[in-house]
């Protein structure tokens, strides 16, 4: 299950990065609110990925501290 969370985190990060990079040249035509969505996606994806890494490493090393972190 933790591996799927890592993949989900990466997908969310990549989606936010693609939106940010592909549509950045439209910044003169759209408001600032449009740019908050890709940044939020990148931040949330990063958090999901880090938490999933703690879970995977904790399960692999059988570390109760890392598993409780999740």
């Amino acid at each position: 299950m933790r591996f799927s969370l890592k993949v989900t985190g990466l997908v969310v990060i990549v989606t936010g990065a693609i939106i940010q990079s592909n549509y950045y040249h439209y910044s003169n035509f759209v408001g600032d609110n449009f740019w908050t969505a890709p940044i939020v996606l990148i931040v949330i994806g990063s958090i999901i990925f880090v938490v999933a890494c703690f879970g995977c490493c904790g399960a692999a090393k059988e570390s109760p501290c890392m598993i409780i972190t999740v």
Side-chain angles (χ1 to χ4, degrees):
M1 181 176 148
R2 299 289 178 212
F3 181 73
S4 64
L5 282 176
K6 286 172 79 172
V7 172
T8 303
L10 285 176
V11 167
V12 172
I13 292 170
V14 168
T15 302
I18 288 172
I19 292 171
Q20 183 75 15
S21 66
N22 285 346
Y23 297 107
Y24 186 73
H25 58 278
Y26 292 116
S27 63
N28 295 333
F29 303 111
V30 295
D32 290 335
N33 291 337
F34 179 78
W35 298 114
T36 56
I39 293 172
V40 168
L41 283 175
I42 293 170
V43 169
I44 290 175
S46 300
I47 292 169
I48 291 171
F49 185 76
V50 168
V51 169
C53 282
F54 279 138
C56 283
C57 293
K61 293 183 178 186
E62 297 178 2
S63 171
C65 181
M66 290 183 83
I67 293 174
I68 291 174
T69 302
V70 176

